[in-house]
Amino acid sequence: MLTIIIRSIIIYLIVLLVFRLMGKRQLGQMQPFELVLTLIIADLATIPMAEVSVPVLHGIIPLLTLVVLHFLLTLLTKASTWFSKVVSGKPVIIINPKGIDYKAMKNLNLSTDDLFGALRECGYFSIDQVQYAIMETNGKVSIMPKAQNAPATNADLKIKTTESFLPITLISEGKLMNENITLAGLDEKSVQKIVEKEGGGKIKEILLLTVDKTGQSYIQTMKGEGKSFQTKEVGA
């Protein structure tokens, strides 16, 4: 009995260390590869706890191996946009100003009931209230409401509003988002011009650069503070 208690304490401490090393994301915030690793770790941890015939080391080594694998996958997803899309997927717009994107819903294997359930969880009960809805890579739905339906609505305050537009990420952690750059109607030269004009230096030094349809932009370097600005490059 004492042996089982000691083994359980050892495995518990190792699993606790593993999850501390993996970060502080909640279950619903995990990427697919992180969720798979979590499930495997939970299963591996129970074996040396319950089976006295299995050496404790045979339980610890696989757990530590998974930690190393987790760090390798995390580094690869940060280093390669292509690898990140393969492993974690990419955000998908399921509602746009024209309405529900049925093709995107079908690809994600979502029903309208699933969609309305996700909207209600975000506090919206009608498609008319939503400008954009995005299925994130962790399975959560993010909502950009229409201007008149935003919290502390401008409609209630009788303030004239313009429609909101979805910011497009042009640079993320020093890497150009080529698909997004094309979507914004820009090219690499235009992005470099924006970076230089706003004092960002080199592209590899930019933590984040976004722009929307109106030219409203945001830039932040790896070591500096972020700032908003207006660019004329969009639609130029």
Side-chain angles (χ1 to χ4, degrees):
M1 180 65 71
L2 181 61
T3 301
I4 294 176
I5 292 174
I6 295 173
R7 289 164 66 95
S8 297
I9 292 174
I10 292 172
I11 296 300
Y12 169 77
L13 293 175
I14 294 296
V15 172
L16 181 61
L17 175 64
V18 166
F19 280 107
R20 288 288 293 164
L21 291 173
M22 287 177 62
K24 296 184 177 181
R25 292 194 189 187
Q26 296 178 4
L27 191 61
Q29 298 173 326
M30 289 183 175
Q31 297 297 333
F33 75 91
E34 293 175 318
L35 181 59
V36 170
L37 285 173
T38 300
L39 295 175
I40 294 174
I41 287 171
D43 192 44
L44 284 174
T46 60
I47 296 174
M49 281 186 180
E51 298 291 337
V52 182
S53 59
V54 177
V56 175
L57 195 60
H58 288 190
I60 294 175
I61 291 175
L63 291 175
L64 296 180
T65 301
L66 289 177
V67 174
V68 174
L69 178 61
H70 172 265
F71 278 113
L72 288 175
L73 288 174
T74 301
L75 288 174
L76 286 172
T77 54
K78 288 183 177 181
S80 170
T81 303
W82 175 84
F83 187 79
S84 178
K85 289 179 181 178
V86 171
V87 174
S88 300
K90 63 179 182 179
V92 178
I93 297 174
I94 52 179
I95 296 178
N96 56 51
K98 295 181 180 179
I100 297 172
D101 189 329
Y102 177 69
K103 184 177 180 181
M105 292 269 292
K106 192 173 180 180
N107 290 337
L108 292 169
N109 198 26
L110 287 176
S111 68
T112 52
D113 287 338
D114 295 328
L115 177 60
F116 277 108
L119 294 183
R120 289 193 293 271
E121 287 182 0
C122 294
Y124 299 96
F125 293 81
S126 171
I127 297 292
D128 291 336
Q129 296 176 296
V130 179
Q131 184 81 350
Y132 289 97
I134 304 171
M135 176 64 72
E136 305 292 354
T137 56
N138 60 12
K140 295 290 184 180
V141 174
S142 300
I143 303 294
M144 174 183 281
K146 291 185 176 179
Q148 65 269 27
N149 296 114
T153 63
N154 292 322
D156 292 338
L157 300 174
K158 297 182 180 180
I159 297 175
K160 186 177 179 180
T161 60
T162 56
E163 288 295 351
S164 303
F165 294 98
L166 191 67
I168 300 172
T169 301
L170 304 180
I171 302 175
S172 177
E173 296 186 26
K175 297 179 181 62
L176 290 169
M177 303 289 104
N178 294 316
E179 289 184 10
N180 292 350
I181 290 172
T182 302
L183 182 63
L186 301 171
D187 54 29
E188 186 174 340
K189 185 177 179 180
S190 300
V191 175
Q192 181 65 59
K193 185 176 178 181
I194 293 172
V195 171
E196 291 175 354
K197 184 178 179 181
E198 297 305 321
K202 299 178 181 179
I203 288 176
K204 65 180 181 181
E205 297 172 347
I206 302 300
L207 175 64
L208 182 67
L209 173 62
T210 67
V211 65
D212 69 14
K213 187 177 179 181
T214 65
Q216 183 62 36
S217 308
Y218 177 88
I219 189 171
Q220 183 171 343
T221 60
M222 298 284 189
K223 299 180 180 179
E225 297 182 358
K227 69 173 182 177
S228 298
F229 63 96
Q230 191 75 22
T231 180
K232 296 181 179 179
E233 295 295 326
V234 178

